[in-house]
């Protein structure tokens, strides 16, 4: 009644009750005032991952080239029947350990942690290979080639899986697909040739050199894709 009288004498109708808008979702806006979509945030995450992969691949290239140079200058003449020298033994053990370190860096960059089962498998494989190589170097180069071949085959298969998974999220993974396939074939070849008396560590150096080449190609491919994505973002 009081509201009716107040409305009658003031000449102003009672304000209609408006629905509560506090729970209505509003699009987030950037500093420019434009709405931030899920696509924008996904593109930003993809750009960060791409940049990190390029940096990590360049580090892999540098490591592989240094490793190849050391093998060629110190141990290339060693054949299957020879016992590894101290330098050769260290180089053979360090190689799979470096792959474990690179996988750890890659997981931190991607923020996957313990959810990355493929990465965890690859790390376990690298550690097991390093342990096996520590034993193998007390025998012959042929034994070391067998261990290295099994590791190259399995790690190449893992690399193939990772590259195929990243085709949608990162893209430009064809060099890693080729590199993974090459590693599988090379690993099988190393395992087969480990029994030959003429097999030498120079073959392993060639394997690492080709790996460095494909990582470098991957850096170029990722850079081209990143530039195209930036160009599309600018147009939009």
């Amino acid at each position: 009644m009081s509201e009716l009288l107040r409305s009658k004498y003031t000449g102003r109708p009672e304000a209609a009750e408006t629905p509560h808008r506090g729970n209505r979702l509003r699009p987030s806006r950037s500093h420019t005032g434009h709405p931030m979509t899920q696509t924008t945030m996904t593109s930003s995450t993809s750009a960060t991952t791409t940049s990190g992969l390029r940096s990590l691949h360049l580090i892999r290239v540098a490591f592989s080239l240094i490793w190849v140079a050391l093998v060629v200058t110190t141990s290339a003449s060693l054949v299957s029947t020879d016992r590894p020298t101290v330098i050769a033994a260290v180089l053979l053990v360090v190689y799979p350990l470096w792959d474990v370190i690179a996988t750890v860096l890659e997981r931190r960059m991607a923020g996957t942690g313990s959810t990355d089962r493929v990465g965890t498998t690859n790390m376990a494989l690298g550690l097991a290979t390093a342990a096996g190589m520590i034993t193998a170097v007390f025998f012959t180069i042929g034994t070391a080639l067998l261990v290295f071949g099994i590791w190259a085959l399995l790690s190449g298969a893992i690399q193939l899986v990772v590259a195929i998974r990243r085709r949608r999220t990162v893209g430009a993974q064809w060099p890693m697909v080729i590199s993974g396939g090459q590693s599988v074939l090379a690993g099988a070849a190393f395992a087969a040739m480990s029994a030959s008396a003429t097999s030498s560590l120079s073959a392993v150096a060639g394997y690492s050199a080709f790996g460095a080449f494909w990582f470098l190609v991957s850096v170029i491919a990722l850079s081209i894709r990143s530039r195209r994505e930036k160009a599309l973002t600018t147009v939009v």
Side-chain angles (χ1 to χ4, degrees):
M1 178 66 72
S2 60
E3 283 79 2
L4 291 174
L5 291 174
R6 183 163 56 250
S7 176
K8 179 179 179 180
Y9 288 103
T10 59
R12 289 181 295 181
E14 181 184 5
E17 183 179 357
T18 57
H20 182 63
R21 299 180 180 179
N23 294 329
R24 183 175 296 178
L25 295 176
R26 297 181 179 180
S28 301
R29 295 180 177 271
S30 65
H31 66 281
T32 60
H34 299 292
M36 292 179 63
T37 63
Q38 185 66 30
T39 303
T40 304
M41 290 183 286
T42 302
S43 298
S44 177
T45 302
S46 177
T48 302
T49 303
T50 301
S51 176
L53 280 176
R54 288 202 307 265
S55 299
L56 182 58
H57 287 182
L58 284 174
I59 295 173
R60 280 182 174 270
V61 170
F63 174 87
S64 295
L65 292 179
I66 293 172
W67 192 87
V68 169
L70 290 174
V71 170
V72 170
T73 56
T74 65
S75 310
S77 61
L78 295 175
V79 296
S80 291
T81 55
D82 294 332
R83 295 193 61 164
T85 62
V86 174
I87 296 177
V90 171
L91 290 172
L92 288 168
V93 173
V94 164
Y95 200 88
L97 284 178
W98 158 245
D99 192 68
V100 173
I101 295 172
T103 303
V104 171
L105 294 175
E106 190 171 321
R107 285 174 55 156
R108 289 185 177 181
M109 174 198 67
T112 54
S114 59
T115 61
D116 182 13
R117 294 182 180 180
V118 177
T120 301
T121 302
N122 192 48
M123 290 170 58
L125 176 62
L127 291 173
T129 302
M133 193 65 76
I134 290 175
T135 303
V137 294
F138 285 99
F139 293 91
T140 62
I141 291 294
T143 307
L145 283 175
L146 176 61
V147 174
F148 194 96
I150 295 172
W151 171 73
L153 190 155
L154 295 177
S155 64
I158 292 175
Q159 186 177 344
L160 271 173
V161 172
V162 173
I164 292 172
R165 285 185 175 184
R166 283 180 178 162
R167 289 177 63 187
R168 293 183 178 180
T169 57
V170 180
Q173 290 298 295
W174 61 268
M176 292 295 93
V177 171
I178 296 175
S179 178
Q182 175 185 287
S183 183
V184 170
L185 295 176
F190 289 148
M193 66 191 293
S194 62
S196 173
T198 58
S199 300
S200 68
L201 279 184
S202 59
V204 176
Y207 163 84
S208 183
F210 270 107
F213 169 76
W214 286 117
F215 274 118
L216 183 58
V217 173
S218 178
V219 171
I220 297 172
L222 288 170
S223 298
I224 294 173
R225 179 179 175 84
S226 179
R227 290 177 183 176
R228 288 177 178 174
E229 288 182 346
K230 288 181 180 179
L232 290 175
T233 304
T234 303
V235 171
V236 174

